[in-house]
Amino acid sequence: MSGSRPVVLVGQPLLAPLLPILRPLYDAWPLWEDEGERRCRDARAVVWAGEFPLAPALLDIMPQLGLIACFTVGYDGVDLMEADQRGIAVTHGADANAEDVADHAIGLMLSHRRGIVEGDRLLRAGLWIAGPERLSHSMAEARLGVVGMGHIGRAVARRAESMRMQIGWWGPRDKPALPWPRSESLNALARDSDILLVAARADSGNRGMIDAGVMDALGPDGLLVNVARGQLVDEPALRQALRQRKLGGAALDVFQQEPTPADIWADVPNCVLTPHMGGATHEAVARMTGMVLANLEAFFAGEALPNRVRPD
């Protein structure tokens, strides 16, 4: 501990805006700088971007660590079992950005299915499409299959219902209280959908779950939308399916590697891509900041953590 204030480390440069917020309260340091590394032995808490792997070797040099406060909603980069065995609590951003991600997911569907992005490109190129080339597909009565019915999946389903879409879903665990029917399998959901939305939480057991078989089931008229995690989709298989027209289209906000290399998408047709911005709103960031502060305050006061996550 430095002075009378507990040492709190901030894990990634993208979280640097938190430092001036934390420093009036804690002895806060950026882990990516030398001084931050020197403070590891005294660190009581670390604020972490949950999609980044947190290596056991880093935990080894933080013997006093008691809290990993994930700024993000996702915490798939943190091994919950490892943390629990070390007596380290883990918190996250709960559903802070679920509504914003749901808005973005609907936007991706509209952009692709109604040709909005392509229309913008054509107009700016001096072209004006007319006749049959101008036709797109209605959202009403389209069959939306949601993979993962957590906060985001439910928020999207509610929006889709108001657009008169037909909703189905699949997840590894049944949720009888939901008003929408659960498919018998992921492949069955894809087969019965016009649009397949990936909104599942990533873990070690579902990497690449959206594989070539799922894409084949979705088919040459189907649209795959991913606002969850890039590793849930077999990206090489996806690019091949799009090039071979075995899959109708893709609208992606997340990628296996981020930033994703632009050149690997240059010759891939029928896709709309955004740079992991679905939950990046001023309002969501403010909510996540508040959650981090609340979890840190509770931890250092010895109180129950508002947004703790535990291993299954």
Side-chain angles (χ1 to χ4, degrees):
M1 182 177 294
S2 176
S4 60
R5 296 190 302 165
V7 174
V8 175
L9 299 180
V10 175
Q12 290 82 22
L14 64 89
L15 301 180
L18 292 174
L19 287 165
I21 298 171
L22 293 170
R23 279 175 169 160
L25 304 168
Y26 308 106
D27 191 15
W29 295 93
L31 185 56
W32 60 92
E33 294 183 0
D34 291 343
E35 186 60 30
E37 287 188 13
R38 286 193 286 270
R39 302 288 178 132
C40 282
R41 295 202 62 81
D42 297 322
R44 299 281 309 286
V46 61
V47 180
W48 197 256
E51 67 268 28
F52 288 85
L54 203 169
L58 182 57
L59 299 178
D60 288 342
I61 62 173
M62 296 183 179
Q64 297 191 56
L65 192 70
L67 175 65
I68 301 166
C70 292
F71 181 78
T72 49
V73 174
Y75 48 87
D76 40 292
V78 179
D79 186 330
L80 296 182
M81 288 293 296
E82 176 79 18
D84 189 61
Q85 289 170 4
R86 292 173 182 258
I88 303 170
V90 181
T91 61
H92 74 136
D95 61 346
N97 65 6
E99 299 294 329
D100 297 308
V101 176
D103 289 343
H104 196 78
I106 293 292
L108 288 172
M109 294 177 204
L110 282 166
S111 295
H112 194 287
R113 192 168 174 86
R114 295 305 311 276
I116 293 171
V117 173
E118 184 62 21
D120 177 82
R121 291 173 182 158
L122 290 170
L123 188 147
R124 292 177 186 276
L127 302 174
W128 187 273
I129 55 175
E133 294 180 356
R134 196 172 186 170
L135 298 177
S136 61
H137 289 283
S138 174
M139 300 296 288
E141 303 304 320
R143 300 169 300 166
L144 173 63
V146 181
V147 183
M149 268 294 185
H151 293 295
I152 293 171
R154 294 195 297 272
V156 173
R158 290 193 299 269
R159 285 158 172 75
E161 271 194 326
S162 71
M163 301 170 71
R164 294 183 291 117
M165 298 175 72
Q166 302 175 42
I167 315 299
W169 74 282
W170 178 84
R173 290 174 292 276
D174 194 11
K175 299 181 178 182
L178 292 178
W180 309 289
R182 177 177 179 254
S183 289
E184 62 183 21
S185 68
L186 175 55
N187 278 56
L189 179 69
R191 187 177 60 248
D192 295 335
S193 299
D194 300 304
I195 303 170
L196 189 69
L197 170 70
V198 185
R201 178 168 64 88
D203 59 41
S204 59
N206 61 10
R207 180 176 294 272
M209 66 188 297
I210 309 299
D211 57 17
V214 174
M215 296 172 206
D216 285 344
L218 188 55
D221 295 319
L223 171 63
L224 176 68
V225 181
N226 189 7
V227 294
R229 283 286 187 262
Q231 61 262 40
L232 294 172
V233 175
D234 183 339
E235 266 190 20
L238 172 61
R239 288 190 288 270
Q240 183 177 13
L242 289 169
R243 291 189 189 105
Q244 296 177 349
R245 312 287 175 164
K246 292 182 178 180
L247 177 66
L252 311 174
D253 186 50
V254 290
F255 304 88
Q256 284 185 351
Q257 176 186 341
E258 295 187 356
T260 188
D263 61 310
I264 66 175
W265 299 100
D267 66 339
V268 180
N270 299 326
C271 57
V272 174
L273 312 173
T274 56
H276 202 157
M277 57 189 286
T281 66
H282 294 289
E283 294 80 4
V285 168
R287 287 190 290 270
M288 288 187 284
T289 300
M291 289 180 180
V292 164
L293 293 174
N295 284 300
L296 287 169
E297 181 180 2
F299 172 72
F300 288 117
E303 299 172 353
L305 301 172
N307 305 112
R308 184 168 185 174
V309 290
R310 300 178 184 273
D312 293 332

